[in-house]
Amino acid sequence: SPTSRHVTHNNTTDFVITPDTGYEIDTVSGCGGTLSGTVYSTGEITKGCTVTASFKLKKYSVDVSVGNGGSASPTSLPIEHGSTTTITITPNSDDGYEIDTVSGCGGTRDGNKFTTAPITNACTITVAFKLRTYSVQATAQIGGTISPDSRPVIHNSTTDFTVTPEVGYEIDNVTGCNGSLSGNSYTTGKITG
């Protein structure tokens, strides 16, 4: 602004270049001028001329911060103002990890995909993983009990159960989950399912 101006021969003039929301100045040219910030100053005017301003959508950095237990792709990308982007999250399933939380950039998760809200500034997506938890069930036949009845166990961990025979009975055997019996305590092997 302004969109036109009358200038006396050999004088200069200024124009203010104002991008719309989400845009930035790309180039300004014409009338032998120079741009400083948002002010375009012409050279000395000796005849009619035109100042042309062009704009481009701003781009913002969307970074992805990933915790231990998996990966995400891509991990950094420039996104134009008002656009969305989707990342793919891959837990290290063979090591027992699963997706715990994904947040940031106003996004939402659907399975292993996370899509941002329309981007209006730089932001970070944070991805966290956790080890899976499995349920280990225990049952006893006639003549005693095993407790507890079930227990949640984190991937690659062990757990203990107490085996208690009733009066007149003794422990015959305890099996399952690659465990071993010591006295009346049964310790599982490392749980992976």
Side-chain angles (χ1 to χ4, degrees):
S1 68
T3 55
S4 67
R5 181 170 271 162
H6 294 285
V7 181
T8 306
H9 183 81
N10 268 356
N11 285 331
T12 64
T13 190
D14 294 332
F15 293 90
V16 176
I17 313 299
T18 307
D20 289 341
T21 300
Y23 285 84
E24 61 188 356
I25 298 169
D26 187 15
T27 61
V28 184
S29 61
C31 303
T34 57
L35 181 65
S36 177
T38 60
V39 176
Y40 186 78
S41 301
T42 67
E44 292 181 354
I45 302 299
T46 59
K47 62 181 179 178
C49 61
T50 301
V51 173
T52 302
S54 64
F55 304 91
K56 62 183 178 182
L57 281 169
K58 288 181 178 178
K59 286 189 177 181
Y60 307 104
S61 175
V62 173
D63 296 316
V64 182
S65 173
V66 182
N68 292 333
S71 61
S73 178
T75 56
S76 180
L77 57 164
I79 301 297
E80 286 186 342
H81 181 89
S83 296
T84 63
T85 189
T86 299
I87 64 166
T88 300
I89 305 156
T90 307
N92 293 340
S93 299
D94 291 346
D95 295 331
Y97 285 93
E98 64 186 358
I99 299 169
D100 186 12
T101 59
V102 187
S103 61
C105 302
T108 56
R109 180 178 148 216
D110 183 13
N112 71 334
K113 304 284 187 188
F114 183 82
T115 303
T116 66
I119 300 298
T120 57
N121 52 40
C123 60
T124 300
I125 299 168
T126 302
V127 180
F129 300 94
K130 65 180 180 180
L131 285 169
R132 285 191 189 106
T133 298
Y134 308 102
S135 177
V136 176
Q137 306 290 322
T139 58
Q141 295 178 353
I142 294 173
T145 60
I146 185 167
S147 63
D149 292 339
S150 68
R151 181 170 275 161
V153 182
I154 294 173
H155 180 86
N156 228 22
S157 297
T158 64
T159 190
D160 296 321
F161 292 87
T162 301
V163 181
T164 307
E166 293 175 355
V167 174
Y169 284 85
E170 63 184 3
I171 298 170
D172 183 17
N173 64 49
V174 185
T175 60
C177 301
N178 296 314
S180 60
L181 183 66
S182 176
N184 69 339
S185 180
Y186 185 78
T187 304
T188 67
K190 290 184 177 181
I191 303 299
T192 58

